[in-house]
């Protein structure tokens, strides 16, 4: 039977030596959902995201993408990563490549697009994130907000089914946060499936179709944003929200 979930996480456990970071996480994500993952620092949010993209190997459990396990030895993780994009906290752009080359590298190498096709797609995406005029510059001349918008364009150039965002605004100056969140809002409105680890409670409340609260490696609460923010009965969730809202 075909799963209704595009990503399904089952009893996921992750440890580093004696430190248990994730303790049996279960989560299903449907196509078109925007999942905001919130919780205190050190609770396992970013580790969960990195496990979904196999940047971290898991110790137990399973992760399914479109119904197929992506943790087995026979899984071609590079193939999977073409469908599950990632946007990092610190952008991870290649400093020695121009903006255009940063965006076209993956599509030409992995998706085997011609240079012309890749550049046409990149130009479209740069216009979408409002940075077409920066196509020939190098990352060092960009602001943090511009770098992050380029990183989002780079992820989109692979035409992924899902994009993972790992605290995409936490390294930015406050006045640059809005420009990145605006691009993410537009993606959500266009139906992109997204999983976003974030401290931006306004974004989680307004944009997420579901909010997940993680603490000490476990999902303590989840639900629609109004359920989680306005009427949560979990004392731990309430005390966290009181501090951050």
């Amino acid at each position: 039977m075909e799963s209704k979930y595009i990503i399904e996480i089952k009893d996921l456990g992750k440890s580093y030596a004696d430190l248990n970071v994730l303790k049996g996480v279960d989560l299903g994500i449907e196509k078109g959902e925007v999942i905001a993952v919130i919780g205190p620092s050190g609770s396992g949010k970013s580790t969960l995201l990195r496990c979904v993209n196999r940047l971290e190997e898991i110790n137990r459990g399973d992760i399914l993408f479109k119904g197929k396990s992506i943790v087995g030895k026979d899984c071609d993780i590079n193939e999977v990563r073409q469908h599950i994009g990632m946007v990092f906290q610190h952008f991870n752009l290649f400093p020695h490549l121009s903006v255009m080359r940063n965006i076209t590298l993956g599509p030409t190498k992995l998706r085997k697009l011609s240079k012309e096709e890749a550049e046409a797609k990149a130009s479209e995406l740069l216009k979408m994130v409002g940075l077409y005029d920066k196509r020939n510059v190098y990352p060092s001349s960009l602001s943090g907000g511009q770098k992050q918008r380029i990183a989002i364009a780079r992820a989109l150039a692979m035409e992924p089914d899902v994009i993972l965002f790992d605290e995409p605004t936490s390294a930015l100056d406050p006045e640059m946060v809005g420009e990145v969140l605006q691009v993410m809002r537009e993606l959500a409105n266009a139906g992109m499936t997204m999983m976003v680890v974030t401290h931006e409670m306004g974004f989680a409340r307004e944009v997420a179709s579901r909010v997940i609260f993680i603490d000490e490696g476990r999902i303590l609460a989840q639900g629609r944003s109004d359920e989680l923010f306005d009427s949560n009965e979990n004392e731990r969730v309430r005390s966290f929200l009181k501090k951050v809202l």
Side-chain angles (χ1 to χ4, degrees):
M1 193 179 92
E2 197 173 310
S3 170
K4 69 172 182 169
Y5 298 118
I6 190 164
I7 290 177
E8 194 170 3
I9 298 165
K10 297 180 172 182
D11 191 30
L12 180 63
K14 173 66 186 172
S15 310
Y16 301 100
D18 295 335
L19 180 65
N20 276 341
V21 182
L22 296 173
K23 305 165 186 171
V25 172
D26 292 293
L27 179 64
I29 301 170
E30 295 184 39
K31 188 170 170 51
E33 269 197 299
V34 177
I35 305 286
V37 184
I38 66 169
S41 294
S43 57
K45 306 183 300 296
S46 289
T47 302
L48 172 61
L49 211 66
R50 291 171 67 84
C51 286
V52 172
N53 211 22
R54 287 274 308 280
L55 291 168
E56 299 282 355
E57 294 300 333
I58 70 174
N59 297 98
R60 77 158 201 265
D62 203 357
I63 301 169
L64 308 180
F65 174 64
K66 294 186 174 178
K68 289 185 180 157
S69 174
I70 61 169
V71 299
K73 294 257 187 297
D74 53 351
C75 168
D76 178 353
I77 192 55
N78 292 322
E79 163 67 22
V80 172
R81 285 189 190 135
Q82 292 184 44
H83 303 284
I84 304 177
M86 181 104 177
V87 174
F88 298 88
Q89 185 177 350
H90 293 291
F91 330 124
N92 289 22
L93 297 175
F94 296 112
H96 62 292
L97 298 180
S98 70
V99 162
M100 180 61 82
R101 194 79 185 98
N102 261 284
I103 297 172
T104 58
L105 186 65
T108 51
K109 294 268 188 249
L110 298 169
R111 293 183 55 223
K112 304 295 185 227
L113 294 192
S114 71
K115 183 169 179 276
E116 293 70 30
E117 287 172 315
E119 287 186 353
K121 179 70 181 170
S123 296
E124 213 176 281
L125 291 168
L126 283 167
K127 286 171 187 166
M128 189 196 92
V129 300
L131 290 171
Y132 181 68
D133 61 324
K134 302 290 186 188
R135 62 195 178 281
N136 296 319
V137 308
Y138 286 80
S140 60
S141 69
L142 300 173
S143 70
Q146 289 170 335
K147 285 177 187 170
Q148 197 58 293
R149 282 145 66 199
I150 297 297
I152 293 171
R154 180 176 63 177
L156 288 169
M158 294 301 291
E159 298 190 350
D161 297 288
V162 180
I163 300 188
L164 312 174
F165 291 84
D166 188 9
E167 299 192 20
T169 58
S170 63
L172 302 179
D173 292 334
E175 68 267 26
M176 292 172 185
V177 168
E179 62 193 42
V180 172
L181 292 181
Q182 184 54 37
V183 171
M184 292 170 67
R185 276 192 191 91
E186 287 163 14
L187 288 180
N189 292 339
M192 173 58 76
T193 309
M194 294 155 63
M195 187 174 178
V196 186
V197 171
T198 185
H199 294 290
E200 297 291 335
M201 295 301 138
F203 176 85
R205 186 193 276 270
E206 293 160 35
V207 181
S209 36
R210 195 155 34 116
V211 181
I212 310 288
F213 179 84
I214 292 188
D215 191 28
E216 295 185 351
R218 292 191 171 93
I219 293 178
L220 286 197
Q222 61 174 300
R224 291 195 324 265
S225 60
D226 57 333
E227 295 168 341
L228 204 101
F229 283 99
D230 301 331
S231 56
N232 205 282
E233 289 167 14
N234 186 301
E235 181 54 43
R236 178 68 189 98
V237 179
R238 282 211 308 269
S239 79
F240 172 79
L241 290 174
K242 202 179 287 180
K243 287 176 188 151
V244 298
L245 289 175

